[in-house]
Amino acid sequence: MPPGPFPLPIIGNILQIDDTKPHITFSKLSKKYGKIFTVKLGVQRIVVICGAELARCAFLKNSAAFAGRPPSYAGSVFSGGLKDIGFQTYSTVWKRQHRIALNAIRMCEKKFSSLEELINREIQEVSLYFESFEGKPLDPRQAIFTAIINCMGSLCFGKRFEGKSQDIESMKEAINCFRDNLGAASILDAFPFMRYFPFPAVSKLKRSAAVRDKIIWRKFEEHKKTFNEANIRDMIDAMMAARLFEGKENVSSNNNIDDNSNMVELLSDERIIYTCNDAFIAGSETPTSALLWVFIQLAKYPDVQAKIHKEIDDVIDLKEGINMQDKLNLPYTEAVIAETIRYVSFMPMAIPHFTTKDVMLDGYRIPKDTVVYLNLWAIQHDDEYFDEPYVVSIL
């Protein structure tokens, strides 16, 4: 195993780690023990990776060995008992569910060839909201968050959330709760006995998951009544069509049912719902955070804002709207976005991985069923790659 600080009995290294900024602690430990090291948190033995080359070696060259997800109590609460893709570990079921999801996305790409139209509509709504302040200070978070949720609503459910509906407010609350409490609830994985104690983070996750599930189940039942394989309207329809195709393919192949890891359960309604939920949650919170951090940097550096404004004016005819091809002609804008994401590192730690077999990495033997953390913040602030990692260089 990679080296690391000496763990105390029962609690391990938990007293040495700042629970509010673990990425900083792990980065400091990497200076002493190297870019791969081991820590122990309660019952969990964790390998931490803090280097780009090690990350490539683990997650690209040995992807299957590091493709698992560790058991997560909070993740189970939020994914209906690990029936989604994000929290479910690597297995035959996961691979087939993942294939169904990819087929659904391909169907949606054909349906939403005009996805830019959905985005442009939300851009117009946000622009009108900003203009209504007539230059006065404003907090853009809710407007941006609402716009992105509406884009994902159109993609997943076939239509945006109109106005200030209770559904959109409930979905916002669920996403915010997921973001704020998932990390706090992860302590239960290190100390499983604590799940029998009242734990506010888990209670909040359960309540928000119940509200979110009620909305998505209702929309799913509406889709089941009007489903037409020849008319794919959105992600839910595409998932139902993709599982229909998967089921037909399975029957025609005459595969052994045991080898199919319970196809009936694999093609269940719940798995469709929680896969769509993954797309909705990840597609809403992450871009919202990224955009808001870009806004902060542009407010801080008005000269950069002016350069981006000029580049956009020179390239895009706003009367015709914006499309993805415009990115090719906006190198400065793209560079500012990429550098802001690197500098801010708004997701400092990747979702934990879990080894599916014994594997060698950097000369160390990492046993099967080991939790693996990837410290993205350390990689994005590594002075081996960046001359001034704590400076926004493009600005």
Side-chain angles (χ1 to χ4, degrees):
M1 289 287 288
F6 182 79
L8 296 174
I10 301 177
I11 64 173
N13 302 110
I14 197 165
L15 297 179
Q16 298 168 266
I17 298 170
D18 183 347
D19 60 348
T20 61
K21 296 180 180 179
H23 55 285
I24 301 294
T25 302
F26 292 146
S27 186
K28 291 178 179 177
L29 288 173
S30 71
K31 305 297 182 185
K32 181 176 181 180
Y33 297 103
K35 292 185 177 180
I36 178 172
F37 57 90
T38 305
V39 294
K40 200 162 185 289
L41 301 181
V43 300
Q44 286 188 324
R45 179 177 51 186
I46 299 168
V47 168
V48 183
I49 296 175
C50 294
E53 290 304 320
L54 287 171
R56 289 192 186 97
C57 188
F59 302 114
L60 294 179
K61 296 179 182 178
N62 292 287
S63 56
F66 288 88
R69 285 275 185 259
S72 169
Y73 183 74
S76 180
V77 167
F78 211 74
S79 61
L82 306 179
K83 292 183 175 65
D84 69 336
I85 290 177
F87 287 103
Q88 184 186 164
T89 196
Y90 186 74
S91 64
T92 302
V93 172
W94 182 91
K95 286 190 287 185
R96 294 201 167 187
Q97 188 172 343
H98 187 254
R99 184 168 71 179
I100 290 172
L102 287 178
N103 287 335
I105 290 170
R106 293 189 185 104
M107 291 180 191
C108 283
E109 285 176 348
K110 295 178 182 178
K111 169 66 179 178
F112 289 104
S113 56
S114 59
L115 186 60
E116 289 92 346
E117 292 181 15
L118 299 176
I119 297 172
N120 275 309
R121 173 176 177 174
E122 300 306 325
I123 289 173
Q124 291 298 321
E125 294 287 335
V126 172
S127 297
L128 290 173
Y129 176 77
F130 286 175
E131 289 172 4
S132 70
F133 282 80
E134 299 178 344
K136 297 175 183 176
L138 70 128
D139 181 352
R141 176 171 178 81
Q142 287 305 314
I144 296 295
F145 198 16
T146 300
I148 292 175
I149 283 181
N150 275 326
C151 285
M152 295 310 300
S154 297
L155 181 65
C156 293
F157 312 129
K159 58 183 179 180
R160 70 198 299 273
F161 298 93
E162 294 295 341
K164 293 185 177 180
S165 68
Q166 184 57 48
D167 281 356
I168 193 170
E169 296 305 318
S170 297
M171 291 300 280
K172 284 181 184 179
E173 183 179 347
I175 293 170
N176 287 333
C177 181
F178 174 75
R179 178 197 64 212
D180 295 339
N181 293 286
L182 184 62
S186 65
I187 192 70
L188 301 182
D189 301 325
F191 301 98
F193 67 89
M194 291 183 65
R195 65 187 59 176
Y196 300 106
F197 293 84
F199 205 62
V202 173
S203 299
K204 291 177 182 177
L205 279 175
K206 286 181 177 178
R207 286 197 299 270
S208 64
V211 171
R212 176 212 61 198
D213 289 350
K214 184 178 179 180
I215 294 171
I216 297 181
W217 269 105
R218 186 181 74 242
K219 292 182 178 295
F220 179 75
E221 292 297 332
E222 292 169 357
H223 278 66
K224 283 181 70 174
K225 293 176 183 177
T226 56
F227 175 69
N228 180 356
E229 188 180 356
N231 180 29
I232 302 302
R233 298 164 293 183
D234 46 44
M235 184 79 172
I236 290 180
D237 274 359
M239 286 286 291
M240 288 196 287
R243 81 166 169 185
L244 195 62
F245 173 80
E246 182 82 6
K248 291 176 181 176
E249 185 182 67
N250 178 66
V251 171
S252 64
S253 66
N254 292 318
N255 287 336
N256 186 296
I257 204 69
D258 293 332
D259 186 50
N260 288 325
S261 300
N262 195 343
M263 285 295 295
V264 175
E265 202 280 329
L266 170 62
L267 303 178
S268 68
D269 291 349
E270 283 186 309
R271 290 191 180 273
I272 287 181
I273 286 171
Y274 287 109
T275 301
C276 287
N277 175 64
D278 275 359
F280 191 88
I281 298 294
S284 300
E285 171 57 29
T286 305
T288 297
S289 296
L291 275 172
L292 289 172
W293 276 110
V294 170
F295 272 40
I296 288 171
Q297 296 302 321
L298 296 184
K300 186 177 180 180
Y301 299 99
D303 56 326
V304 173
Q305 184 179 157
K307 288 181 184 178
I308 288 179
H309 203 298
K310 184 178 187 306
E311 184 177 62
I312 291 173
D313 285 344
D314 291 344
V315 171
I316 298 174
D317 183 353
L318 294 179
K319 292 181 181 179
E320 296 183 3
I322 302 168
N323 61 68
M324 293 299 290
Q325 292 301 314
D326 291 327
K327 290 176 65 177
L328 301 174
N329 301 313
L330 299 169
Y332 184 74
T333 303
E334 283 283 286
V336 170
I337 293 171
E339 175 63 0
T340 299
I341 290 172
R342 179 207 70 81
Y343 171 73
V344 171
S345 197
F346 62 87
M347 188 176 179
M349 301 290 296
I351 296 175
H353 287 248
F354 203 50
T355 51
T356 59
K357 60 182 181 180
D358 291 359
V359 61
M360 296 297 295
L361 183 62
D362 199 35
Y364 299 108
R365 177 182 171 274
I366 302 175
K368 182 179 181 292
D369 295 340
T370 298
V371 181
V372 180
Y373 283 179
L374 177 60
N375 189 347
L376 295 172
W377 185 90
I379 293 172
Q380 293 167 335
H381 294 80
D382 191 339
D383 55 17
E384 182 179 339
Y385 297 97
F386 304 99
D387 293 334
E388 296 181 288
Y390 304 101
V391 175
V392 191
S393 61
I394 195 69
L395 306 179

